[in-house]
Amino acid sequence: MAEVGAEAGRRLAAGGGLSGLWSRVGAEAAFWRGALYDALRFRRHAWLHRVHSPESRAARILADAHFLEYGMALRAARPGFGLARAARLAGDLRGGGTNGPAGQIGLATLRGWAAFNRDTALPPGITPALALTGGEGIAAGVVEVDGPRPVTDFLAFAQSRHSVRQFAPGPVPEAAIRRAVAAAQAAPSSCNRQTCTAHVWTDRALIDRVRRHQAGNRTFGHELGGIAVITSDLRHWEHAGERYQPWIDGGLFAMSLCHGLHAEGLGTCFLNWSVTPAIDRALRAELGLGDSQLVIVLLGFGLMPDSASVCASPRLPEGAALRLNPPLAG
C-alpha cells in the first residue's frame, strides 16, 4: 500500500535557502503530476468522440432524454424541437440501450416527446424505437408540481450540523443509510446523468481497511460506525468542458448524503481526499474500483453520543459569501 503521509495542504512549506528551493520545485512537480493524472484519466474514459462502453451509452441516453424533457417543460414549449437529439436517442435505444434503467427512462421519455410532437414529421428511426418494449409506468417527460409548499426551517437544520469526531458505539441502522442515499440521489446532476455512487462499509474490519488510506481520521476513525467513498464514473462525461463536472456533481451528491445522514440523527465528518496519485491508486485498488471511478471525497459517520465536543468553526458573516446584484463590467 502507498504510504499515507500528511494531508495535502497541511504541511508547512520549507523556508528559504536550498531546502526551500527544493521544496518549491517538489510542490510544482507534484501539482503537474496530479493535474496530468486527472486529465489523462478523464480523456481515457470520457466519450469525447464516440461512446465506447455501455456506461457511456447509458449516460448519453439520459442526457439526450433530459434535453427532450427540458424542451417540453418550457413555458413556450414548441413542437418540432430536438429532432437530432431524438434521432440519436432512438438510435441508442435500437442499438440495445433499453437493457438497463437508463434505457427504460430514455424510452419512456421518447414516447412522451413523440406524443408532444404528434403533428410533427419525425425523423426515420424514431418510430421503430417507439415500438420497443419497456419503459411502462415510468413518469418521464414532464410532470406537474404545485407551487411553494411549507417546509421546515432548512437554515436551522443546516446550521445544526457539525463535523463530529466522537461517536457512540453500536451498529448504524441500514434503513437510515438507504434513506440518506435516496436523498443524495435527489441531488441535481448534469443532464440527469446521475454519475455518482456511495460505496458504504459498516463492518469494523472493512471500515479500518478503507480509512487507513486517509490521514485525517487517525485520531477518531476507530469510532466510526460507517464510512462512505463517493465516486463519479468518468465514462458518463463527454467533452473537455465537462472536465470538472465530476467533482461538481460529486460535491452536490456528497453534501446531500451528508444532510440525509444528519436528518437520520447520525453524526458525520467529511474526510478530505486531496491526495497524491499514488494514494488515490492505492485506495481504488483496495476497493476494487476501476480506473474510470473518480474518488470525490470520503464521509465518516456513526451514532451520535448523548453529548459530544465539536469544533465551533465560526462562519464568516453573510456578506462574505453574498454579492447581491453586483454591478456588471463594461
Side-chain angles (χ1 to χ4, degrees), residues 82-84 86-87 90 94 113 120-128:
L83 296 178
R94 295 195 317 273
W113 176 87
T120 303
L122 302 182
I126 290 183
T127 299

Side-chain angles (χ1 to χ4, degrees), residues 23 32 96 110 126 142-143 153 164 189 198 237 247 254 257 275 297 311 317:
S23 177
W32 288 110
L110 186 65
I126 290 183
V142 176
V143 297
D153 188 344
V164 176
S189 66
W237 302 105
W247 283 282
L257 174 62
V275 297
V297 72
C311 299

Side-chain angles (χ1 to χ4, degrees), residues 268-292:
T268 59
C269 186
F270 277 112
L271 306 175
N272 190 320
W273 196 242
S274 302
V275 297
T276 64
I279 296 175
D280 184 76
R281 290 191 189 97
L283 175 67
R284 287 189 296 102
E286 182 86 74
L287 307 187
L289 296 176
D291 185 64
S292 69

Side-chain angles (χ1 to χ4, degrees), residues 4-228:
V4 179
E7 287 184 275
R10 301 297 195 270
R11 185 184 296 126
L12 296 179
L18 187 59
S19 62
L21 174 61
W22 280 115
S23 177
R24 291 190 292 275
V25 170
E28 187 75 12
F31 168 80
W32 288 110
R33 188 162 54 246
L36 186 61
Y37 173 71
D38 292 332
L40 289 177
R41 287 181 61 212
F42 184 89
R43 177 64 190 87
R44 190 156 54 242
H45 298 288
W47 37 290
L48 183 61
H49 301 297
R50 61 181 180 85
V51 295
H52 46 75
S53 70
E55 291 78 12
S56 295
R57 184 177 298 279
R60 189 165 76 177
I61 286 172
L62 289 175
D64 285 344
H66 181 70
F67 180 88
L68 299 182
E69 64 183 6
Y70 162 79
M72 290 186 287
L74 296 175
R75 185 184 300 277
R78 57 175 180 80
F81 77 93
L83 296 178
R85 291 290 189 114
R88 186 170 73 172
L89 172 59
D92 280 337
L93 295 173
R94 295 195 317 273
T98 57
N99 298 324
Q104 298 293 296
I105 293 171
L107 181 54
T109 304
L110 186 65
R111 287 183 181 139
W113 176 87
F116 180 81
N117 288 276
R118 64 177 63 86
D119 297 325
T120 303
L122 302 182
I126 290 183
T127 299
L130 294 173
L132 296 171
T133 59
E136 294 81 5
I138 296 178
V142 176
V143 297
E144 298 297 323
V145 297
D146 297 329
R149 289 167 287 179
V151 296
T152 56
D153 188 344
F154 183 75
L155 176 60
F157 170 80
Q159 292 177 337
S160 70
R161 195 207 73 83
H162 297 273
S163 293
V164 176
R165 296 174 177 86
Q166 301 173 20
F167 298 92
V172 175
E174 182 178 319
I177 298 173
R178 292 187 178 277
R179 283 173 54 85
V181 173
Q185 287 182 279
S189 66
S190 177
C191 296
N192 194 38
R193 274 175 278 187
Q194 305 175 62
T195 76
C196 296
T197 301
H199 310 262
V200 180
W201 292 267
T202 57
D203 178 85
R204 178 75 266 155
L206 298 179
I207 293 171
D208 288 341
R209 284 180 59 183
V210 175
R211 73 179 186 87
R212 66 176 181 158
H213 295 273
Q214 201 275 344
N217 75 91
R218 287 176 175 172
T219 56
F220 66 90
H222 59 284
E223 296 188 21
L224 294 175
I227 192 167

Side-chain angles (χ1 to χ4, degrees), residues 227-248:
I227 192 167
V229 177
I230 290 89
T231 66
S232 175
D233 192 334
L234 294 174
R235 293 171 295 187
H236 291 190
W237 302 105
E238 180 178 6
H239 53 76
E242 294 183 332
R243 63 194 181 280
Y244 300 122
Q245 199 65 40
W247 283 282
I248 296 169

